[in-house]
mmCIF file with all atom_site columns, all heavy atoms in Angstrom:
data_model
loop_
_atom_site.group_PDB
_atom_site.id
_atom_site.type_symbol
_atom_site.label_atom_id
_atom_site.label_alt_id
_atom_site.label_comp_id
_atom_site.label_asym_id
_atom_site.label_entity_id
_atom_site.label_seq_id
_atom_site.pdbx_PDB_ins_code
_atom_site.Cartn_x
_atom_site.Cartn_y
_atom_site.Cartn_z
_atom_site.occupancy
_atom_site.B_iso_or_equiv
_atom_site.pdbx_formal_charge
_atom_site.auth_seq_id
_atom_site.auth_comp_id
_atom_site.auth_asym_id
_atom_site.auth_atom_id
_atom_site.pdbx_PDB_model_num
ATOM 1   N N   . ASP I 1 6  ? 4.358  11.021 -1.687  1.00 96.00 ? 28 ASP I N   1
ATOM 2   C CA  . ASP I 1 6  ? 3.311  9.959  -1.687  1.00 96.00 ? 28 ASP I CA  1
ATOM 3   C C   . ASP I 1 6  ? 2.004  10.602 -2.152  1.00 96.00 ? 28 ASP I C   1
ATOM 4   O O   . ASP I 1 6  ? 1.796  11.755 -1.916  1.00 96.00 ? 28 ASP I O   1
ATOM 5   C CB  . ASP I 1 6  ? 3.101  9.325  -0.312  1.00 96.00 ? 28 ASP I CB  1
ATOM 6   C CG  . ASP I 1 6  ? 4.333  8.543  0.144   1.00 96.00 ? 28 ASP I CG  1
ATOM 7   O OD1 . ASP I 1 6  ? 5.189  8.153  -0.712  1.00 96.00 ? 28 ASP I OD1 1
ATOM 8   O OD2 . ASP I 1 6  ? 4.468  8.274  1.371   1.00 96.00 ? 28 ASP I OD2 1
ATOM 9   N N   . ILE I 1 26 ? -8.162 2.477  -10.615 1.00 92.00 ? 48 ILE I N   1
ATOM 10  C CA  . ILE I 1 26 ? -8.375 3.873  -10.364 1.00 92.00 ? 48 ILE I CA  1
ATOM 11  C C   . ILE I 1 26 ? -7.641 4.706  -11.348 1.00 92.00 ? 48 ILE I C   1
ATOM 12  O O   . ILE I 1 26 ? -6.580 4.243  -11.886 1.00 92.00 ? 48 ILE I O   1
ATOM 13  C CB  . ILE I 1 26 ? -7.973 4.281  -8.894  1.00 92.00 ? 48 ILE I CB  1
ATOM 14  C CG1 . ILE I 1 26 ? -6.483 3.958  -8.650  1.00 92.00 ? 48 ILE I CG1 1
ATOM 15  C CG2 . ILE I 1 26 ? -8.800 3.543  -7.905  1.00 92.00 ? 48 ILE I CG2 1
ATOM 16  C CD1 . ILE I 1 26 ? -6.040 4.382  -7.287  1.00 92.00 ? 48 ILE I CD1 1
ATOM 17  N N   . VAL I 1 34 ? -4.230 2.635  -12.440 1.00 92.00 ? 56 VAL I N   1
ATOM 18  C CA  . VAL I 1 34 ? -3.540 1.731  -11.576 1.00 92.00 ? 56 VAL I CA  1
ATOM 19  C C   . VAL I 1 34 ? -4.597 0.666  -11.129 1.00 92.00 ? 56 VAL I C   1
ATOM 20  O O   . VAL I 1 34 ? -5.681 1.026  -10.677 1.00 92.00 ? 56 VAL I O   1
ATOM 21  C CB  . VAL I 1 34 ? -2.992 2.513  -10.343 1.00 92.00 ? 56 VAL I CB  1
ATOM 22  C CG1 . VAL I 1 34 ? -2.318 1.506  -9.394  1.00 92.00 ? 56 VAL I CG1 1
ATOM 23  C CG2 . VAL I 1 34 ? -2.032 3.593  -10.777 1.00 92.00 ? 56 VAL I CG2 1
ATOM 24  N N   . LYS I 1 35 ? -4.214 -0.584 -11.175 1.00 94.00 ? 57 LYS I N   1
ATOM 25  C CA  . LYS I 1 35 ? -5.060 -1.639 -10.638 1.00 94.00 ? 57 LYS I CA  1
ATOM 26  C C   . LYS I 1 35 ? -4.728 -1.859 -9.192  1.00 94.00 ? 57 LYS I C   1
ATOM 27  O O   . LYS I 1 35 ? -3.569 -1.978 -8.794  1.00 94.00 ? 57 LYS I O   1
ATOM 28  C CB  . LYS I 1 35 ? -4.811 -2.952 -11.412 1.00 94.00 ? 57 LYS I CB  1
ATOM 29  C CG  . LYS I 1 35 ? -5.655 -3.174 -12.655 1.00 94.00 ? 57 LYS I CG  1
ATOM 30  C CD  . LYS I 1 35 ? -5.443 -4.591 -13.142 1.00 94.00 ? 57 LYS I CD  1
ATOM 31  C CE  . LYS I 1 35 ? -6.483 -5.110 -14.037 1.00 94.00 ? 57 LYS I CE  1
ATOM 32  N NZ  . LYS I 1 35 ? -6.948 -4.227 -15.160 1.00 94.00 ? 57 LYS I NZ  1
ATOM 33  N N   . VAL I 1 36 ? -5.749 -1.949 -8.326  1.00 93.00 ? 58 VAL I N   1
ATOM 34  C CA  . VAL I 1 36 ? -5.563 -2.151 -6.925  1.00 93.00 ? 58 VAL I CA  1
ATOM 35  C C   . VAL I 1 36 ? -6.310 -3.442 -6.502  1.00 93.00 ? 58 VAL I C   1
ATOM 36  O O   . VAL I 1 36 ? -7.488 -3.509 -6.761  1.00 93.00 ? 58 VAL I O   1
ATOM 37  C CB  . VAL I 1 36 ? -6.173 -0.940 -6.130  1.00 93.00 ? 58 VAL I CB  1
ATOM 38  C CG1 . VAL I 1 36 ? -5.806 -1.092 -4.659  1.00 93.00 ? 58 VAL I CG1 1
ATOM 39  C CG2 . VAL I 1 36 ? -5.633 0.370  -6.650  1.00 93.00 ? 58 VAL I CG2 1
ATOM 40  N N   . LYS I 1 37 ? -5.509 -4.314 -5.877  1.00 94.00 ? 59 LYS I N   1
ATOM 41  C CA  . LYS I 1 37 ? -6.180 -5.522 -5.305  1.00 94.00 ? 59 LYS I CA  1
ATOM 42  C C   . LYS I 1 37 ? -6.625 -5.200 -3.882  1.00 94.00 ? 59 LYS I C   1
ATOM 43  O O   . LYS I 1 37 ? -5.859 -4.832 -3.065  1.00 94.00 ? 59 LYS I O   1
ATOM 44  C CB  . LYS I 1 37 ? -5.192 -6.699 -5.289  1.00 94.00 ? 59 LYS I CB  1
ATOM 45  C CG  . LYS I 1 37 ? -5.116 -7.392 -6.618  1.00 94.00 ? 59 LYS I CG  1
ATOM 46  C CD  . LYS I 1 37 ? -4.388 -8.723 -6.519  1.00 94.00 ? 59 LYS I CD  1
ATOM 47  C CE  . LYS I 1 37 ? -5.350 -9.884 -6.534  1.00 94.00 ? 59 LYS I CE  1
ATOM 48  N NZ  . LYS I 1 37 ? -6.169 -9.961 -7.781  1.00 94.00 ? 59 LYS I NZ  1
ATOM 49  N N   . ILE I 1 48 ? -3.562 0.594  1.966   1.00 95.00 ? 70 ILE I N   1
ATOM 50  C CA  . ILE I 1 48 ? -2.903 -0.258 1.025   1.00 95.00 ? 70 ILE I CA  1
ATOM 51  C C   . ILE I 1 48 ? -1.895 0.562  0.395   1.00 95.00 ? 70 ILE I C   1
ATOM 52  O O   . ILE I 1 48 ? -2.193 1.587  -0.270  1.00 95.00 ? 70 ILE I O   1
ATOM 53  C CB  . ILE I 1 48 ? -3.933 -0.837 0.061   1.00 95.00 ? 70 ILE I CB  1
ATOM 54  C CG1 . ILE I 1 48 ? -5.096 -1.641 0.736   1.00 95.00 ? 70 ILE I CG1 1
ATOM 55  C CG2 . ILE I 1 48 ? -3.242 -1.698 -1.021  1.00 95.00 ? 70 ILE I CG2 1
ATOM 56  C CD1 . ILE I 1 48 ? -6.221 -1.926 -0.095  1.00 95.00 ? 70 ILE I CD1 1
ATOM 57  N N   . ARG I 1 49 ? -0.612 0.170  0.471   1.00 96.00 ? 71 ARG I N   1
ATOM 58  C CA  . ARG I 1 49 ? 0.507  0.977  -0.080  1.00 96.00 ? 71 ARG I CA  1
ATOM 59  C C   . ARG I 1 49 ? 0.972  0.285  -1.349  1.00 96.00 ? 71 ARG I C   1
ATOM 60  O O   . ARG I 1 49 ? 1.348  -0.877 -1.414  1.00 96.00 ? 71 ARG I O   1
ATOM 61  C CB  . ARG I 1 49 ? 1.618  1.041  0.922   1.00 96.00 ? 71 ARG I CB  1
ATOM 62  C CG  . ARG I 1 49 ? 2.854  1.794  0.513   1.00 96.00 ? 71 ARG I CG  1
ATOM 63  C CD  . ARG I 1 49 ? 3.943  1.789  1.587   1.00 96.00 ? 71 ARG I CD  1
ATOM 64  N NE  . ARG I 1 49 ? 3.503  2.629  2.740   1.00 96.00 ? 71 ARG I NE  1
ATOM 65  C CZ  . ARG I 1 49 ? 3.774  3.915  2.918   1.00 96.00 ? 71 ARG I CZ  1
ATOM 66  N NH1 . ARG I 1 49 ? 4.407  4.617  1.900   1.00 96.00 ? 71 ARG I NH1 1
ATOM 67  N NH2 . ARG I 1 49 ? 3.380  4.597  3.980   1.00 96.00 ? 71 ARG I NH2 1
ATOM 68  N N   . LEU I 1 50 ? 1.043  1.105  -2.449  1.00 95.00 ? 72 LEU I N   1
ATOM 69  C CA  . LEU I 1 50 ? 1.556  0.668  -3.695  1.00 95.00 ? 72 LEU I CA  1
ATOM 70  C C   . LEU I 1 50 ? 2.869  1.337  -3.973  1.00 95.00 ? 72 LEU I C   1
ATOM 71  O O   . LEU I 1 50 ? 2.884  2.550  -4.327  1.00 95.00 ? 72 LEU I O   1
ATOM 72  C CB  . LEU I 1 50 ? 0.577  0.874  -4.859  1.00 95.00 ? 72 LEU I CB  1
ATOM 73  C CG  . LEU I 1 50 ? -0.722 0.125  -4.758  1.00 95.00 ? 72 LEU I CG  1
ATOM 74  C CD1 . LEU I 1 50 ? -1.685 0.525  -5.923  1.00 95.00 ? 72 LEU I CD1 1
ATOM 75  C CD2 . LEU I 1 50 ? -0.543 -1.336 -4.716  1.00 95.00 ? 72 LEU I CD2 1
ATOM 76  N N   . ALA I 1 51 ? 4.014  0.702  -3.765  1.00 95.00 ? 73 ALA I N   1
ATOM 77  C CA  . ALA I 1 51 ? 5.321  1.258  -3.864  1.00 95.00 ? 73 ALA I CA  1
ATOM 78  C C   . ALA I 1 51 ? 5.559  1.744  -5.288  1.00 95.00 ? 73 ALA I C   1
ATOM 79  O O   . ALA I 1 51 ? 5.251  1.067  -6.225  1.00 95.00 ? 73 ALA I O   1
ATOM 80  C CB  . ALA I 1 51 ? 6.364  0.294  -3.424  1.00 95.00 ? 73 ALA I CB  1
ATOM 81  N N   . GLY I 1 52 ? 6.125  2.976  -5.430  1.00 94.00 ? 74 GLY I N   1
ATOM 82  C CA  . GLY I 1 52 ? 6.558  3.486  -6.746  1.00 94.00 ? 74 GLY I CA  1
ATOM 83  C C   . GLY I 1 52 ? 5.421  4.054  -7.551  1.00 94.00 ? 74 GLY I C   1
ATOM 84  O O   . GLY I 1 52 ? 5.684  4.493  -8.689  1.00 94.00 ? 74 GLY I O   1
ATOM 85  N N   . LYS I 1 53 ? 4.213  4.089  -7.019  1.00 93.00 ? 75 LYS I N   1
ATOM 86  C CA  . LYS I 1 53 ? 3.048  4.589  -7.851  1.00 93.00 ? 75 LYS I CA  1
ATOM 87  C C   . LYS I 1 53 ? 2.695  6.049  -7.481  1.00 93.00 ? 75 LYS I C   1
ATOM 88  O O   . LYS I 1 53 ? 1.661  6.531  -7.869  1.00 93.00 ? 75 LYS I O   1
ATOM 89  C CB  . LYS I 1 53 ? 1.849  3.679  -7.684  1.00 93.00 ? 75 LYS I CB  1
ATOM 90  C CG  . LYS I 1 53 ? 2.068  2.297  -8.235  1.00 93.00 ? 75 LYS I CG  1
ATOM 91  C CD  . LYS I 1 53 ? 2.117  2.285  -9.743  1.00 93.00 ? 75 LYS I CD  1
ATOM 92  C CE  . LYS I 1 53 ? 2.148  0.852  -10.239 1.00 93.00 ? 75 LYS I CE  1
ATOM 93  N NZ  . LYS I 1 53 ? 2.359  0.867  -11.698 1.00 93.00 ? 75 LYS I NZ  1
ATOM 94  N N   . GLY I 1 54 ? 3.539  6.728  -6.657  1.00 93.00 ? 76 GLY I N   1
ATOM 95  C CA  . GLY I 1 54 ? 3.289  7.998  -6.250  1.00 93.00 ? 76 GLY I CA  1
ATOM 96  C C   . GLY I 1 54 ? 3.810  9.078  -7.196  1.00 93.00 ? 76 GLY I C   1
ATOM 97  O O   . GLY I 1 54 ? 4.053  8.774  -8.375  1.00 93.00 ? 76 GLY I O   1
ATOM 98  N N   . PRO I 1 63 ? 10.419 7.372  -7.134  1.00 95.00 ? 85 PRO I N   1
ATOM 99  C CA  . PRO I 1 63 ? 9.091  7.837  -7.046  1.00 95.00 ? 85 PRO I CA  1
ATOM 100 C C   . PRO I 1 63 ? 8.455  7.515  -5.684  1.00 95.00 ? 85 PRO I C   1
ATOM 101 O O   . PRO I 1 63 ? 8.874  6.607  -4.998  1.00 95.00 ? 85 PRO I O   1
ATOM 102 C CB  . PRO I 1 63 ? 8.304  7.071  -8.165  1.00 95.00 ? 85 PRO I CB  1
ATOM 103 C CG  . PRO I 1 63 ? 9.174  5.809  -8.431  1.00 95.00 ? 85 PRO I CG  1
ATOM 104 C CD  . PRO I 1 63 ? 10.608 6.184  -8.042  1.00 95.00 ? 85 PRO I CD  1
ATOM 105 N N   . GLY I 1 64 ? 7.458  8.316  -5.303  1.00 96.00 ? 86 GLY I N   1
ATOM 106 C CA  . GLY I 1 64 ? 6.811  8.055  -4.039  1.00 96.00 ? 86 GLY I CA  1
ATOM 107 C C   . GLY I 1 64 ? 5.849  6.904  -4.091  1.00 96.00 ? 86 GLY I C   1
ATOM 108 O O   . GLY I 1 64 ? 5.781  6.217  -5.147  1.00 96.00 ? 86 GLY I O   1
ATOM 109 N N   . ASP I 1 65 ? 5.127  6.662  -3.045  1.00 96.00 ? 87 ASP I N   1
ATOM 110 C CA  . ASP I 1 65 ? 4.133  5.594  -3.038  1.00 96.00 ? 87 ASP I CA  1
ATOM 111 C C   . ASP I 1 65 ? 2.699  6.138  -3.191  1.00 96.00 ? 87 ASP I C   1
ATOM 112 O O   . ASP I 1 65 ? 2.401  7.292  -2.933  1.00 96.00 ? 87 ASP I O   1
ATOM 113 C CB  . ASP I 1 65 ? 4.227  4.799  -1.700  1.00 96.00 ? 87 ASP I CB  1
ATOM 114 C CG  . ASP I 1 65 ? 5.624  4.157  -1.505  1.00 96.00 ? 87 ASP I CG  1
ATOM 115 O OD1 . ASP I 1 65 ? 6.365  3.966  -2.504  1.00 96.00 ? 87 ASP I OD1 1
ATOM 116 O OD2 . ASP I 1 65 ? 5.971  3.852  -0.343  1.00 96.00 ? 87 ASP I OD2 1
ATOM 117 N N   . LEU I 1 66 ? 1.816  5.256  -3.649  1.00 95.00 ? 88 LEU I N   1
ATOM 118 C CA  . LEU I 1 66 ? 0.419  5.495  -3.687  1.00 95.00 ? 88 LEU I CA  1
ATOM 119 C C   . LEU I 1 66 ? -0.239 4.778  -2.477  1.00 95.00 ? 88 LEU I C   1
ATOM 120 O O   . LEU I 1 66 ? -0.059 3.614  -2.297  1.00 95.00 ? 88 LEU I O   1
ATOM 121 C CB  . LEU I 1 66 ? -0.176 5.017  -4.977  1.00 95.00 ? 88 LEU I CB  1
ATOM 122 C CG  . LEU I 1 66 ? -1.695 5.078  -5.164  1.00 95.00 ? 88 LEU I CG  1
ATOM 123 C CD1 . LEU I 1 66 ? -2.214 6.529  -5.180  1.00 95.00 ? 88 LEU I CD1 1
ATOM 124 C CD2 . LEU I 1 66 ? -2.121 4.464  -6.459  1.00 95.00 ? 88 LEU I CD2 1
ATOM 125 N N   . ILE I 1 67 ? -0.902 5.599  -1.673  1.00 96.00 ? 89 ILE I N   1
ATOM 126 C CA  . ILE I 1 67 ? -1.446 5.013  -0.410  1.00 96.00 ? 89 ILE I CA  1
ATOM 127 C C   . ILE I 1 67 ? -2.986 5.084  -0.597  1.00 96.00 ? 89 ILE I C   1
ATOM 128 O O   . ILE I 1 67 ? -3.541 6.123  -0.555  1.00 96.00 ? 89 ILE I O   1
ATOM 129 C CB  . ILE I 1 67 ? -0.964 5.785  0.830   1.00 96.00 ? 89 ILE I CB  1
ATOM 130 C CG1 . ILE I 1 67 ? 0.467  5.635  0.920   1.00 96.00 ? 89 ILE I CG1 1
ATOM 131 C CG2 . ILE I 1 67 ? -1.697 5.221  2.070   1.00 96.00 ? 89 ILE I CG2 1
ATOM 132 C CD1 . ILE I 1 67 ? 1.173  6.581  1.803   1.00 96.00 ? 89 ILE I CD1 1
ATOM 133 N N   . ILE I 1 68 ? -3.612 3.862  -0.735  1.00 95.00 ? 90 ILE I N   1
ATOM 134 C CA  . ILE I 1 68 ? -5.009 3.741  -0.907  1.00 95.00 ? 90 ILE I CA  1
ATOM 135 C C   . ILE I 1 68 ? -5.686 3.652  0.423   1.00 95.00 ? 90 ILE I C   1
ATOM 136 O O   . ILE I 1 68 ? -5.277 2.802  1.254   1.00 95.00 ? 90 ILE I O   1
ATOM 137 C CB  . ILE I 1 68 ? -5.379 2.559  -1.759  1.00 95.00 ? 90 ILE I CB  1
ATOM 138 C CG1 . ILE I 1 68 ? -4.552 2.463  -3.071  1.00 95.00 ? 90 ILE I CG1 1
ATOM 139 C CG2 . ILE I 1 68 ? -6.872 2.362  -2.003  1.00 95.00 ? 90 ILE I CG2 1
ATOM 140 C CD1 . ILE I 1 68 ? -5.050 3.424  -4.078  1.00 95.00 ? 90 ILE I CD1 1
#
Side-chain angles (χ1 to χ4, degrees):
D28 293 343
I48 60 176
V56 180
K57 270 189 161 46
V58 185
K59 277 192 105 57
I70 300 165
R71 181 181 290 270
L72 298 178
K75 295 289 188 186
D87 298 341
L88 175 61
I89 298 164
I90 306 288

